[in-house]
Amino acid sequence: MDTTNGLEILQHNLLSEVKAFFDSAPPLKDSNEVSEKLKEFIEGFSTSQGDGRAERVVCVTSGGTTVPLEQRCVRYIDNFSSGHRGATSTEYFLKAGYAVIFLYRRGTCQPFCQSLPDDPLLEWFEPTSESNIQVREQHAKAVKRAIMKHHAAVADGRLLKLSFTTIFEYLQILKQIAMETRCLGTHAMFYLAAAVSDFYKPWKDMAEHKIQSASGPLDMQLSQVPKMLSVLRKEWAPLAFCISFKLETDSRILLEKADMALKKYKMHAVVANELSTRKEQVVVVTGNEKVSVRRDKNHPGDDVENPLINLLLERHSTYIEDSDI
Amino acid sequence: MDTTNGLEILQHNLLSEVKAFFDSAPPLKDSNEVSEKLKEFIEGFSTSQGDGRAERVVCVTSGGTTVPLEQRCVRYIDNFSSGHRGATSTEYFLKAGYAVIFLYRRGTCQPFCQSLPDDPLLEWFEPTSESNIQVREQHAKAVKRAIMKHHAAVADGRLLKLSFTTIFEYLQILKQIAMETRCLGTHAMFYLAAAVSDFYKPWKDMAEHKIQSASGPLDMQLSQVPKMLSVLRKEWAPLAFCISFKLETDSRILLEKADMALKKYKMHAVVANELSTRKEQVVVVTGNEKVSVRRDKNHPGDDVENPLINLLLERHSTYIEDSDI
């Protein structure tokens, strides 16, 4: 390695950090099962099928990752995310003909289910007699739609759901997905809407047992999670079309941070959203434009994901065409 | 105040800490609504009704509290708890004739629903035709039982459900419950199974905006949550029968810690459980005994909560009788 090259050293350091992260992570329990499901799912969409062109497949990540603070975990740090963005976006991707790998945090929002309450079974169902239950009349349509659309997508082999809880699980599965979708080339997309922790406690530095409270205030040091977006883009899935998200609560720094992320991680687009207005509008930041995307208020029930996905589909098409030349 | 009295100083300090905690907490959004629900619920069980004796009412707390790390919260610390213990115990309390105030973490396990999967609607229901859905045959009994039993308990006015997410919400509602159940005297019980954070970030010390990751590893100082069990027992609900829980991952320190909690907070009993065996056995620690309670393995489907609640009911009866003398 040429030690006079600063960028290469940086890249080398990052790869060492990434290796250390994965080496120290607790092994994924159902790694083989995940791998088989992925292979089977992808097979139908790769170039070996049909007219010799790969179909488009998007990996949508959704919900927040947890960071355990103890090995036998009682306490953890969590990133707030309902998973609404990822679930809604999945619906639009499916509608547009994409196959979707939905990598979601257990317990968060599911595609076609956003209009349902947290606990639909207890909130919307009622006993009708001593031995029967039914969904309340006013909710029947929403419940039927959710179950039918969801089951149809899974049954058609166009929706694969994989779940995670910890940041260790999330990054290990994301890497598997990236590796398995390489065969799709530019037809693969990563739509990284999950709220991924920036900080973590390396497994080996963790207390084995529950941290005791008797010894006064808690002083906690957390390490930075290696910048996996760089690695995904450069190493794991160099041809895929990659969209990341930047969430901030301070609108003054949002676009600047999104722009930095775009350049630093070489994303194809960064979706900038502010916590308080994220359901109304986002800004799609690319190398040569900043496009503000708004929910259409004239259409009740419309959401910001509708125009957002439309815009990204167009950009993905352009990306594929440009790469084909 | 006699400043030569160490205990009084300690108590005075604790009350100042508690005041500071509540003063700095973000106000409970639906405080009035919670208060009205509680009043209405309790009314039916107080001494003013029926034969002039209060009925027994237990407040079961369940699930983990979150500790926000930012005011516009993106990140938080969470305590792991499925809420299984609280939900199952609620069923046994109802069966034994108690009225139950179920104070639970949003999204955790609900009474009568433990046998259901995380997402019963998507996992157990299926489309039967173009316009109909049904629960899969093999799960029909479990779903019907859950909905019927749950609705019956709520409809009979014997189950009041109140939810929390943050430690601020949890402690504010717990205080309200304690105040409202004072009229029940010794007939009130607190069964504090929730996993409550020992540490928190005082609201005024919190960053307003999302903590930035660019500046390297995160060094985080957290304050100790004031020991509210003491305050509940001494100030809020001095006559109620109080059970707290001690969860440890290290069995070697468990009983010692449970004993310390019993004495320090003047609980009537502490339920000691170890993370890995908590579904098989617990130890009930009181001032003069340590009773090991085990799940009956000869009865499939039996759980440790069955004998646990039986034991506590007996102890509560003795407590009421002793107080009546």
Side-chain angles (χ1 to χ4, degrees), chain A residues 86-310:
Chain A
T88 311
S89 301
T90 293
E91 294 180 32
Y92 288 112
F93 278 119
L94 287 167
K95 203 172 158 190
Y98 278 65
V100 182
I101 301 166
F102 183 61
L103 178 58
Y104 69 99
R105 162 73 178 275
R106 271 176 212 103
T108 56
C109 208
Q110 295 296 301
F112 306 109
C113 296
Q114 292 91 291
S115 64
L116 272 47
D118 278 351
D119 197 345
L121 207 59
L122 288 179
E123 291 181 48
W124 281 4
F125 282 73
E126 60 188 358
T128 50
S129 67
E130 272 192 20
S131 63
N132 263 315
I133 53 159
Q134 69 174 20
V135 56
R136 293 199 171 104
E137 185 61 31
Q138 70 267 39
H139 303 309
K141 210 174 140 188
V143 168
K144 280 180 192 169
R145 178 186 176 276
I147 293 172
M148 289 184 160
K149 293 251 180 187
H150 193 99
H151 280 256
V154 174
D156 290 350
R158 303 202 69 84
L159 174 61
L160 175 66
K161 303 205 304 173
L162 299 171
S163 66
F164 65 87
T165 300
T166 68
I167 185 152
F168 302 111
E169 290 169 348
Y170 172 78
L171 287 172
Q172 286 176 94
I173 303 176
L174 183 66
K175 185 178 177 183
Q176 284 194 327
I177 296 171
M179 294 313 196
E180 295 295 344
T181 52
R182 283 178 88 136
C183 60
L184 301 169
T186 57
H187 291 240
M189 188 200 277
F190 283 83
Y191 179 87
L192 304 159
V196 183
S197 179
D198 295 312
F199 305 102
Y200 81 118
K201 193 95 188 159
W203 196 254
K204 60 177 173 37
D205 298 348
M206 256 182 233
E208 182 188 352
H209 290 294
K210 187 180 171 190
I211 300 164
Q212 294 299 322
S213 67
S215 38
L218 183 66
D219 196 341
M220 209 166 34
Q221 277 85 32
L222 296 174
S223 308
Q224 272 190 294
V225 174
K227 299 301 180 188
M228 295 289 181
L229 287 181
S230 277
V231 187
L232 171 76
R233 188 65 191 86
K234 283 193 184 164
E235 308 283 330
W236 300 345
L239 290 176
F241 189 63
C242 291
I243 318 292
S244 72
F245 283 71
K246 194 79 200 168
L247 173 74
E248 292 291 340
T249 58
D250 187 348
S251 60
R252 292 166 303 178
I253 61 168
L254 176 60
L255 288 183
E256 184 196 338
K257 300 280 293 181
D259 219 35
M260 276 170 58
L262 184 85
K263 289 180 182 128
K264 196 166 169 190
Y265 310 128
K266 305 228 179 335
M267 291 288 112
H268 298 101
V270 174
V271 181
N273 48 150
E274 204 229 297
L275 188 64
S276 62
T277 59
R278 69 194 190 283
K279 293 188 175 176
E280 295 300 318
Q281 75 160 35
V282 298
V283 177
V284 177
V285 179
T286 68
N288 50 21
E289 56 181 358
K290 289 187 174 58
V291 185
S292 182
V293 177
R294 281 195 176 76
R295 182 172 76 84
D296 184 350
K297 289 182 185 169
N298 296 323
H299 286 85
D302 198 35
D303 38 48
V304 70
E305 286 80 9
N306 191 0
L308 171 63
I309 303 303
N310 278 336

Side-chain angles (χ1 to χ4, degrees), chain A residues 74 80 209 213 220 224 249, chain B residues 74 80 209 213 220 224 249:
Chain A
V74 176
F80 165 76
H209 290 294
S213 67
M220 209 166 34
Q224 272 190 294
T249 58
Chain B
V74 176
F80 165 77
H209 290 295
S213 66
M220 209 166 36
Q224 273 191 293
T249 59

Side-chain angles (χ1 to χ4, degrees), chain B residues 32-52:
Chain B
N32 288 340
E33 202 189 318
V34 168
S35 173
E36 270 170 40
K37 278 186 188 171
L38 272 168
K39 276 189 213 308
E40 196 187 332
F41 185 78
I42 300 292
E43 203 178 30
F45 308 113
S46 70
T47 47
S48 59
Q49 304 292 313
D51 62 0

